[in-house]
């Protein structure tokens, strides 16, 4: 019976020790002599402008003979950030140890904890209460379906499925950023922003009102701004073309209107002289040029000149038109 009490006491003592640490657990060393006896902690800095990342060293933790290490909460921030722990191989370590994955990435804040279990890998399975890290693991598991597709990679399917995962399943902003970054790496983000601008605009506002470092989502803000500028330029170009076409249409209509008006407009009537009016009346009465000349005591050539002037002024070409026009 006393052994049970001792076991419970030891368990509680160990749990109280763990509670003081944000990160703790075991590095599983198959060959301890191949590794330096320290676990190094770094913060991951995403450099969105150059599409790269860097590591900012924070501190190191000495390992026990069994590989136990821990990092106090004072080394971590209040908000969720990405961290890395890793071991350095000894200079004289064998070639095999240099090929072993010697690091682990995770998301954590000083208000959470993560514990690495004993196992077969250097940093094996772990348990954590950080929701963002759990969501990140879901995302990595989801994306592992696409890792070996290569030439058969279906970008449309990836866009459709990843977009749905980001929008419907991920509730943690930091993980949303990571998943969106994956879309960007695959050259699919800009296409999705164009199709769902309102969603990304709302997400950007949510990010700006959060405690996340603005440098982490600056690339998203720049892409949104660029796409909005392109859309504005397209609208301006279309509007300009519509206005030009409308202006040309108005010019054509004015031209046709003036042409038709000039075509149908009669030239102003030129008044006939007294002699021309007399000859006109005589023509209408049916008299010939000779008869008109005898009656007015003028030559036939003079009559013909007056008749020609009458035709020109009245815009006619024959005696018949003159009779009809009287």
């Amino acid at each position: 019976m006393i052994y049970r009490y001792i076991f419970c006491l030891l368990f509680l003592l160990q749990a109280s020790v763990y509670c003081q640490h944000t990160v703790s657990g075991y590095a599983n060393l198959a060959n301890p002599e191949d590794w330096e006896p320290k676990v190094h902690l770094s913060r991951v800095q995403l450099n969105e402008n150059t599409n790269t990342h860097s590591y900012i060293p924070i501190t190191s933790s000495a390992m026990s003979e069994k590989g136990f290490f821990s990092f106090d909460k004072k080394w971590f921030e209040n908000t969720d950030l990405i961290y890395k722990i890793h071991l350095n191989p000894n200079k004289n370590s064998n070639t095999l140890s240099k090929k072993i994955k010697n690091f682990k990435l995770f998301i954590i804040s000083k208000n959470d904890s993560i514990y690495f279990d004993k196992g077969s890998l250097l940093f094996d399975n772990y348990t954590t209460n950080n929701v963002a890290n759990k969501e990140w693991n879901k995302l990595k598991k989801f994306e592992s379906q696409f890792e070996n597709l290569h030439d058969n990679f279906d970008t449309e399917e990836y866009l459709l499925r990843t977009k749905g995962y980001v929008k419907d399943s991920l509730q943690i902003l930091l993980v949303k950023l990571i998943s969106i970054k994956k879309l960007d790496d695959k050259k699919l983000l800009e296409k999705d922003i164009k199709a769902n601008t309102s969603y990304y605009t709302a997400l950007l506002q949510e990010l700006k009102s959060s405690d996340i470092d603005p440098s982490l989502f600056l690339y998203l803000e720049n892409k949104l701004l660029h796409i909005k500028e392109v859309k504005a330029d397209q609208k301006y170009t279309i509007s300009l073309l519509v206005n030009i076409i409308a202006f040309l249409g108005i010019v054509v209509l004015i031209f046709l209107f003036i042409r038709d008006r000039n075509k149908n407009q009669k030239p102003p009537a030129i008044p006939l002289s007294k002699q021309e009016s007399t000859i006109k009346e005589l023509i209408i009465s049916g008299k010939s040029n000779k008869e008109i000349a005898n009656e007015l005591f003028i030559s036939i050539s003079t009559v013909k000149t007056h008749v020609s002037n009458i035709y020109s002024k009245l815009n006619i070409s024959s005696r018949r038109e003159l009779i009809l026009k009287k």
Side-chain angles (χ1 to χ4, degrees):
M1 189 69 176
I2 190 170
Y3 294 109
R4 292 184 181 179
Y5 289 119
I6 293 173
F7 175 78
C8 291
L9 179 61
L10 291 174
F11 177 80
L12 291 174
L13 286 173
Q14 186 180 34
S16 65
V17 171
Y18 291 158
C19 289
Q20 298 174 11
H21 302 293
T22 296
V23 177
S24 60
Y26 290 88
N28 303 295
L29 306 175
N31 301 293
E33 66 278 2
D34 290 335
W35 303 95
E36 293 180 358
K38 289 184 178 180
V39 178
H40 303 280
L41 175 68
S42 304
R43 180 164 63 86
V44 181
Q45 178 67 49
L46 301 178
N47 305 315
E48 301 303 342
N49 292 333
T50 58
N51 200 27
T52 60
H53 63 274
S54 57
Y55 300 106
I56 302 175
I58 299 176
T59 188
S60 299
S61 170
M63 289 189 297
S64 69
E65 292 182 359
K66 294 183 179 181
F68 180 79
F69 66 92
S70 63
F71 293 100
D72 191 86
K73 62 174 62 180
K74 68 181 180 181
W75 301 113
F76 301 89
E77 302 294 333
N78 288 319
T79 56
D80 287 336
L81 294 173
I82 306 173
Y83 293 90
K84 171 188 174 182
I85 55 172
H86 75 278
L87 289 178
N88 290 329
N90 285 322
K91 294 181 180 179
N92 298 324
S93 63
N94 60 46
T95 306
L96 181 61
S97 65
K98 294 180 180 180
K99 295 181 180 180
I100 296 175
K101 183 179 178 181
N102 65 334
F103 68 92
K104 196 75 171 183
L105 297 174
F106 51 87
I107 300 173
I108 202 75
S109 74
K110 69 187 309 178
N111 303 314
D112 303 308
S113 63
I114 185 169
Y115 180 77
F116 288 86
D117 301 321
K118 290 183 177 180
S120 57
L121 301 178
L122 191 60
F123 295 109
D124 212 333
N125 295 329
Y126 60 82
T127 55
T128 181
N129 60 344
N130 184 278
V131 181
N133 195 84
K134 292 178 181 179
E135 293 292 336
W136 190 18
N137 285 333
K138 290 179 185 179
L139 176 65
K140 288 189 285 188
K141 183 177 181 181
F142 169 77
E143 289 184 329
S144 66
Q145 304 173 63
F146 300 92
E147 286 181 355
N148 300 317
L149 294 181
H150 300 294
D151 294 338
N152 297 323
F153 183 78
D154 188 339
T155 56
E156 294 294 335
E157 179 186 358
Y158 182 88
L159 177 61
L160 180 63
R161 296 181 65 180
T162 304
K163 178 177 65 179
Y165 187 79
V166 171
K167 292 181 180 179
D168 301 332
S169 300
L170 300 181
Q171 301 301 321
I172 306 303
L173 288 177
L174 185 60
V175 184
K176 283 186 179 182
L177 272 178
I178 296 171
S179 59
I180 290 171
K181 188 66 170 61
K182 291 289 185 179
L183 282 178
D184 193 28
D185 291 341
K186 296 183 183 295
K187 311 299 181 185
L188 298 173
L189 180 58
E190 190 167 325
K191 178 179 180 180
D192 197 36
I193 290 178
K194 289 179 180 178
N196 303 278
T197 305
S198 59
Y199 165 75
Y200 286 98
T201 301
L203 176 60
L204 181 61
Q205 294 303 318
E206 190 178 359
L207 288 166
K208 286 184 175 181
S209 61
S210 71
D211 294 329
I212 294 179
D213 185 351
S215 65
L216 296 181
F217 53 82
L218 180 62
Y219 77 101
L220 177 61
E221 185 174 9
N222 290 337
K223 280 191 178 292
L224 270 170
L225 181 62
H226 171 70
I227 290 172
K228 287 181 178 179
E229 287 177 349
V230 170
K231 286 186 175 181
D233 289 342
Q234 290 175 344
K235 288 182 178 179
Y236 173 76
T237 302
I238 292 173
S239 175
L240 184 62
L241 288 174
V242 170
N243 288 335
I244 291 174
I245 292 172
F247 175 75
L248 292 176
I250 292 172
V251 170
V252 170
L253 289 174
I254 293 173
F255 170 78
L256 293 175
F257 172 76
I258 294 174
R259 187 192 65 177
D260 291 342
R261 188 185 66 176
N262 291 339
K263 183 177 180 181
N264 297 325
Q265 191 175 17
K266 296 179 181 179
I270 302 175
L272 301 178
S273 66
K274 184 177 180 180
Q275 184 78 312
E276 289 171 347
S277 297
T278 302
I279 294 173
K280 171 189 171 185
E281 296 301 323
L282 292 174
I283 293 173
I284 292 172
S285 65
K287 295 190 180 229
S288 65
N289 288 348
K290 185 178 180 180
E291 291 174 332
I292 294 172
N294 292 332
E295 186 171 333
L296 298 178
F297 303 102
I298 56 177
S299 65
I300 293 179
S301 60
T302 300
V303 173
K304 290 180 179 180
T305 299
H306 285 306
V307 171
S308 178
N309 291 337
I310 292 169
Y311 287 174
S312 176
K313 289 180 179 181
L314 298 179
N315 196 26
I316 57 177
S317 58
S318 66
R319 288 174 176 263
R320 182 172 177 275
E321 288 184 52
L322 179 59
I323 294 171
L324 293 175
K325 199 172 182 179
K326 67 178 180 176

